[in-house]
């Protein structure tokens, strides 16, 4: 465990490294509890350091290491010449350049933090980003130290597959019969991109020919039992490689690209050079075991990690404050890739939903920070929705402001200028400017200013002058450490609808969508030759990560749902209509009144259910009510009971009122096609299963019979899990339990399906009670050391089961606090993420907020916390 009150690191204190490491030669002898690591470093004084004429001590980061010896230029270094400290090793430098050899011993077996070298189901693997390499050996573990790595791995013959970055250059057996393999990565890289894998693995192989005609070997490694679940990831990889050549002109550089699936992993996947390591859940799939959502997630994560080869690896980050340089850009790239492979509008809707529910909440909570943070205690806490998703929105806005061709010119200049370097967000923006003589001076504020801007829009029509005026105010609320905010440069894409729903022409060129450049706190935009009072379609395609207020009537929202040429805004109108209804119902509930059926919402939904002109996936999204979490994110104090009651009432009312339509559309889409994870079929299944869920909400025997029939017949996991979820939520507990048991006995050998089975129960508003969640934690398939299981059961309850977690007695909060305290000893990164729902206590009504706060305080008082957990808990209590 780390110290009780960790220090804060500031961007303003950045200093170039004192020493560079030109070459890094690593030698591993793998043993579960005593792995020996020998590291030989070619050290050189950094000419760009401060005071390069002096020779300060060489600082090497280290954690949980047992130091065996230090040699310099072949000579053993006596203990007086170095100092071992809790966070690293300081060594007196003998000169400008020297060879340093360090021998350490580590214990992968007891490493449950899943940072550094650890064992997952008997397989050795590593996770070094952000600061895990220091758990392998003493090293300048910072991304601006880039080195050429050679790695030799020695292991017993029971680990026949031994992998590291780059190309395999040698292999053989040692005198005592162990296997020995040497890998060399010709591209200089920071230590966070280092990877090593050792295990008894099988592989699937393929090939990719680059545009310039080079043949790349592709390999996907996994345990033998999963070998039939690799095809989709391999196809996705080849699509991503082609796309990056075509859209960004980026070719792959090594001769081999490897992916390894591991069951124990803190995040989704990791872009280690030439050797990506994946959470099994984000790479393994078959139609019988993985849902459409899982297929799409795999496609996008495989692409994301592959794209990092340029945006992250060839050009990397100078320091971790620049994390969004690689993550924001790469998320933007993978989102565009997914949009090109599937339905663009639906992909956008999914991303915006995540942003609105989770990123807006982060921006309004105690951990609020800019896309480029200016301080942190523990960098692992800053792999956030703000850095990733809002960071991607910032890159998207540059794309919108400059246009696609100019953006590509900027990207080309960025890669050309900075190839092989560790750079900053500023370097990215400057390349975009320089390639296009553009001015993004004010736009840069998006990187340094936290908080979600709110746009207040008013309009005015002058029938005599035929002019239409939009008046837009922007305001960004205060966030911790940033009291007052400056106006941002916000690209606001808009259209104007005429009385028949047609797009009006907005300028001489006949444009129907214009990007307004909002740069002032308050600004007026005037449109001429507008023949009638139009209805504005605001923020088309969600052109900026902001909230928009405009006094739409329900009738206007229904009109936009019918006519807007912007599919995203059609969906957005449906969500605004639902939010209006849910807001009113919450008010009725709080006032103790009987809740009234939301007529406008019912007729709005009625008009889209059977609209066969629209993409069924878009219809499914339009028929989906905002989640309780998203409702909680609306302004004002959160009243959990009111949210739960209003949402349940709305869902049940819609289900009953529109039953016949839901049934007709369900029947029409219930086609028993053979499975393919292609956009068209995914769309049909999503609408069919949306209809099924509404039908089951009526809890009628006929509806539940449909779900049972689908559950029994389903040949793919999408239909099977959707039917099971409906039964778990709406059938009697006996039927729910019988179905769950049947499902479990069919799939108990399959790790990914068991995770689905856990998550379905813990997140069910009716079935997922605290008692059942506690029972799941005692189930033999539950493992507290496996983050996927923890996320499925504990986060499934605390983050996705608003109804049960927010039970008025506060038992949900106490449970989460207990789990977080226990988990902090096992895996601090996961503990710090899991606690998030409690840390937002300030937004809740008095009594509930008080109970949540007390649970956070109890965590704080429970003893010495990890740096990860301490940071989020202390900021929540501040
Ligand atoms: Zn990434």
């Amino acid at each position: 465990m780390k110290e009780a009150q960790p220090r804060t690191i500031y961007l303003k204190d950045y200093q170039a490294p004192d020493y560079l490491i030109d070459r890094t030669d690593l030698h591993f002898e793998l043993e579960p509890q005593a792995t020996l690591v020998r590291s030989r470093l070619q050290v050189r004084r950094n000419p760009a350091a401060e005071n390069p004429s002096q020779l300060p001590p060489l600082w090497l980061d280290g954690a949980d290491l047992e130091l065996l010896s230090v040699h310099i230029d072949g000579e053993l270094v006596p203990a007086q010449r170095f100092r071992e400290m809790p966070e690293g090793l300081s060594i007196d430098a003998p000169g400008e350049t020297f060879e340093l050899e360090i021998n350490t011993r580590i214990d992968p077996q007891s490493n449950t933090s899943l940072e550094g070298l650890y064992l997952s189901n008997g397989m050795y693997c590593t996770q070094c980003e952000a600061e895990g390499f220091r758990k392998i050996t003493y090293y300048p573990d910072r991304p601006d130290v880039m080195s050429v790595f050679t790695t030799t791995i020695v292991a017993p013959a029971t680990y026949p597959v031994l992998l590291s970055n780059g190309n395999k250059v040698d292999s053989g057996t040692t005198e005592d019969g162990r296997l020995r393999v040497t890998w060399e990565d010709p591209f200089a890289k920071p230590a966070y991109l280092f990877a090593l894998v050792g295990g008894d693995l099988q592989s699937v192989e393929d090939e990719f020919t680059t545009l310039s005609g080079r043949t790349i070997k592709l390999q996907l490694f996994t345990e033998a039992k999963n070998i039939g679940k690799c095809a989709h990831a391999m196809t996705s990889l080849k699509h991503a490689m082609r796309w990056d050549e075509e859209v960004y002109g980026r070719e792959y550089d090594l001769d081999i690209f490897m992916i390894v699936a591991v069951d124990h992993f803190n995040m989704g996947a990791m872009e280690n050079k030439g050797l990506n390591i994946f959470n099994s859940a984000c790479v393994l799939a078959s139609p019988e075991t993985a849902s459409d959502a899982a297929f799409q997630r795999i496609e996008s994560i495989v692409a994301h990690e592959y794209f990092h080869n340029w945006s992250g690896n060839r050009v990397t980050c100078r320091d971790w404050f620049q994390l969004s340089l690689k993550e924001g850009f790469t998320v933007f790239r993978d989102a565009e890739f997914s949009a090109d492979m599937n339905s663009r509008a639906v992909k956008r809707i999914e991303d915006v939903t995540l942003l609105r529910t989770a990123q807006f909440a982060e921006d309004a909570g105690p951990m609020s920070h800019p896309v480029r943070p200016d301080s942190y205690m523990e960098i692992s806490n800053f792999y956030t929705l703000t850095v990733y998703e809002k960071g991607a929105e910032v890159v998207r806005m540059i794309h919108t402001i400059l246009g696609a061709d100019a953006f590509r010119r900027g990207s080309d200049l960025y890669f050309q200028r900075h190839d092989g370097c560790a750079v900053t967000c500023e370097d990215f923006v400057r390349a975009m400017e320089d390639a296009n003589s553009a001015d993004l001076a004010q736009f840069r504020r998006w990187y340094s200013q936290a908080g979600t801007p709110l746009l207040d829009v008013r309009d005015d029509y002058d029938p005599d002058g035929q002019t239409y005026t939009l008046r837009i105010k922007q305001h960004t609320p205060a966030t911790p450490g940033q009291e007052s905010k400056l106006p941002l440069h916000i690209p606001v894409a808009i259209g104007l609808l005429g009385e028949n729903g047609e797009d009006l022409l907005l300028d001489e060129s006949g444009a129907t969508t214009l990007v307004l450049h909002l740069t002032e706190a308050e600004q007026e935009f005037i449109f001429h030759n507008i023949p009638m009072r139009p209805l504005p379609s605001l923020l088309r395609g969600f052109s900026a990560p902001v909230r928009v207020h405009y006094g739409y009537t329900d009738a206007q929202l229904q009109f936009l749902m019918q006519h807007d040429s912007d599919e995203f805004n059609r969906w957005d109108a449906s969500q605004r209509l639902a939010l209006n209804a849910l807001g009113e119902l919450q008010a009725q509930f709080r006032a103790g009144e009987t809740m009234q059926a939301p007529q406008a919402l019912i007729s709005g939904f009625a008009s889209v259910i059977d609209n066969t002109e629209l993409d069924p996936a878009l219809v499914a999204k339009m028929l989906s009510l905002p989640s309780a979490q998203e409702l909680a994110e609306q302004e004002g104090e959160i009243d959990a009971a009111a949210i739960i009651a209003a949402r349940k009432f709305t869902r049940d009312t819609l289900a009953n009122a529109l039953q016949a339509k839901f049934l007709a559309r369900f029947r029409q889409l219930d086609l028993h096609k053979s499975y393919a994870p292609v956009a068209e079929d995914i769309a049909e299944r999503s609408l069919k299963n949306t209809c099924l869920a509404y039908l089951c909400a009526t809890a009628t025997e006929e509806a539940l019979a449909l779900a049972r029939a689908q559950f029994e017949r389903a040949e793919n996991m999408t239909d099977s899990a959707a039917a099971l979820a409906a039964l778990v939520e709406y059938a009697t507990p006996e039927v729910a339990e019988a179905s769950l048991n049947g499902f479990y006995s069919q799939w108990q050998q399959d790790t990914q399906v068991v995770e689905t089975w856990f998550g379905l129960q813990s997140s069910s508003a009716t079935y997922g009670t605290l008692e059942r969640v506690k029972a799941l934690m005692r189930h033999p398939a539950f493992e507290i050391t496996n983050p996927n299981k923890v996320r499925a059961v504990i986060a499934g309850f605390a983050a996705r089961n608003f109804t049960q977690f927010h039970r008025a007695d506060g038992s949900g909060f106490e449970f989460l606090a207990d789990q977080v305290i226990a988990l902090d000893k096992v895996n601090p990164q996961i503990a710090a993420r899991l606690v998030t729902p409690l840390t937002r206590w300030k937004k809740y009504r008095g009594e509930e907020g008080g109970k949540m706060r007390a649970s956070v305080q109890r965590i704080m008082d429970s003893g010495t916390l990890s740096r990860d957990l301490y940071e989020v808990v202390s900021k929540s209590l501040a």
Side-chain angles (χ1 to χ4, degrees), residues 271 304-305 308 327 388:
E271 71 263 24
H304 178 98
E305 306 310 330
H308 269 316
E327 296 304 347
Y388 276 65

Side-chain angles (χ1 to χ4, degrees), residues 20-335:
L20 302 176
I21 312 292
D22 291 326
R23 294 193 60 92
T24 300
D25 292 293
L26 301 171
H27 187 277
F28 289 84
E29 291 186 44
L30 299 179
E31 271 300 322
Q33 291 172 302
T35 288
L36 296 174
V37 185
R38 187 186 73 213
S39 151
R40 279 200 191 118
L41 310 177
Q42 303 301 326
V43 185
R44 174 166 58 95
R45 182 79 174 113
N46 182 7
E50 257 175 67
N51 307 319
S53 60
Q54 293 167 11
L55 285 181
L58 168 65
W59 173 257
L60 304 173
D61 301 290
D64 305 339
L65 300 171
E66 185 187 343
L67 181 64
L68 301 177
S69 67
V70 181
H71 290 77
I72 286 180
D73 295 328
E75 306 257 335
L76 186 70
V77 180
Q80 315 84 274
R81 302 254 308 275
F82 62 83
R83 290 149 299 278
E84 254 188 289
M85 297 192 265
E87 301 210 303
L89 192 60
S90 167
I91 305 178
D92 297 337
E96 297 263 321
T97 63
F98 53 97
E99 186 191 271
L100 176 67
E101 179 186 311
I102 296 185
N103 285 278
T104 47
R105 183 159 38 212
I106 52 178
D107 179 356
Q109 168 121 51
S110 56
N111 181 0
T112 57
S113 71
L114 314 187
E115 294 178 277
L117 179 68
Y118 62 93
L119 280 164
S120 174
N121 296 345
M123 175 199 328
Y124 289 92
C125 62
T126 55
Q127 172 54 40
C128 293
E129 188 178 5
E131 298 181 332
F133 193 76
R134 63 189 63 188
K135 293 182 127 191
I136 294 174
T137 182
Y138 288 103
Y139 198 82
D141 190 7
R142 45 186 290 169
D144 54 355
V145 173
M146 300 175 77
S147 183
V148 172
F149 282 67
T150 308
T151 306
T152 297
I153 312 167
V154 175
T158 44
Y159 299 88
V161 174
L162 301 173
L163 310 174
S164 190
N165 317 86
N167 304 307
K168 194 193 276 195
V169 291
D170 193 18
S171 66
T173 14
T174 60
E175 280 170 14
D176 59 2
R178 288 181 294 169
L179 301 175
R180 175 181 50 74
V181 179
T182 301
W183 293 82
E184 195 173 75
D185 179 2
F187 293 93
K189 64 169 177 287
Y192 84 85
L193 291 172
F194 170 80
L196 176 156
V197 167
D200 184 8
L201 303 174
Q202 303 285 308
S203 73
V204 165
E205 289 194 20
D206 207 330
E207 259 179 23
F208 178 81
T209 307
T210 68
L211 277 190
S212 72
R214 293 170 45 246
T215 303
I216 315 293
K217 179 168 156 181
L218 312 177
Q219 283 183 299
L220 208 162
F221 292 88
T222 176
E223 292 167 67
K225 64 172 185 183
N226 291 323
I227 208 72
K229 288 183 165 195
C230 298
H232 179 64
M234 189 62 92
T235 306
S236 303
L237 174 61
K238 289 187 284 180
H239 289 164
M241 294 178 87
R242 188 60 77 217
W243 189 91
D244 212 17
E245 293 180 337
E246 287 171 355
V247 181
Y248 280 84
R250 300 290 119 201
E251 242 188 69
Y252 186 62
D253 46 14
L254 290 160
D255 298 330
I256 174 168
F257 186 82
M258 298 175 280
I259 290 178
V260 182
V262 306
D263 283 347
H264 296 70
F265 204 72
N266 281 347
M267 306 269 284
M270 180 61 210
E271 71 263 24
N272 315 299
K273 184 75 187 188
L275 178 55
N276 288 359
I277 298 183
F278 274 65
N279 186 325
S280 298
C282 298
V283 60
L284 301 176
S286 67
E288 304 75 47
T289 61
S291 66
D292 290 333
F295 271 86
Q296 292 189 316
R297 182 177 69 217
I298 289 165
E299 181 181 62
S300 83
I301 300 182
V302 167
H304 178 98
E305 306 310 330
Y306 173 73
F307 295 157
H308 269 316
N309 191 56
W310 275 96
S311 51
N313 301 2
R314 288 288 287 258
V315 180
T316 194
C317 301
R318 186 193 72 172
D319 55 75
W320 291 121
F321 297 102
Q322 318 298 329
L323 181 58
S324 195
L325 173 74
K326 74 176 176 82
E327 296 304 347
F329 189 21
T330 305
V331 171
F332 172 68
R333 278 150 56 67
D334 84 55

Side-chain angles (χ1 to χ4, degrees), residues 376-393:
Y376 60 75
M377 287 182 198
E378 170 52 61
I379 186 58
S380 300
N381 289 330
F382 286 79
Y383 285 73
T384 58
L385 290 139
T386 301
V387 166
Y388 276 65
E389 317 305 324
K390 187 177 181 180
E393 294 298 322

Side-chain angles (χ1 to χ4, degrees), residues 553-555 557-558 561-562 571-585 596-609 621-626 631 646-647 649-655 657-658 661-662 694:
T553 64
D554 284 349
L557 292 171
Q558 287 177 340
M561 278 177 76
Q562 293 300 313
W571 167 78
D572 199 46
S574 76
Q575 300 300 292
R576 285 176 187 270
L577 194 60
L579 286 174
N580 285 352
L582 287 156
E584 247 169 73
L585 288 164
Q596 302 296 316
Q599 291 307 337
L601 185 62
I602 293 170
S603 55
F605 275 22
S607 71
V608 290
I609 298 176
K621 292 290 178 196
M622 291 173 87
L623 295 173
S624 302
L625 293 176
L631 292 175
R647 198 171 180 285
F649 176 81
T650 305
R651 187 198 63 199
D652 294 349
T653 308
L654 287 165
L658 302 172
K661 279 181 181 272
F662 282 126
Y694 273 113

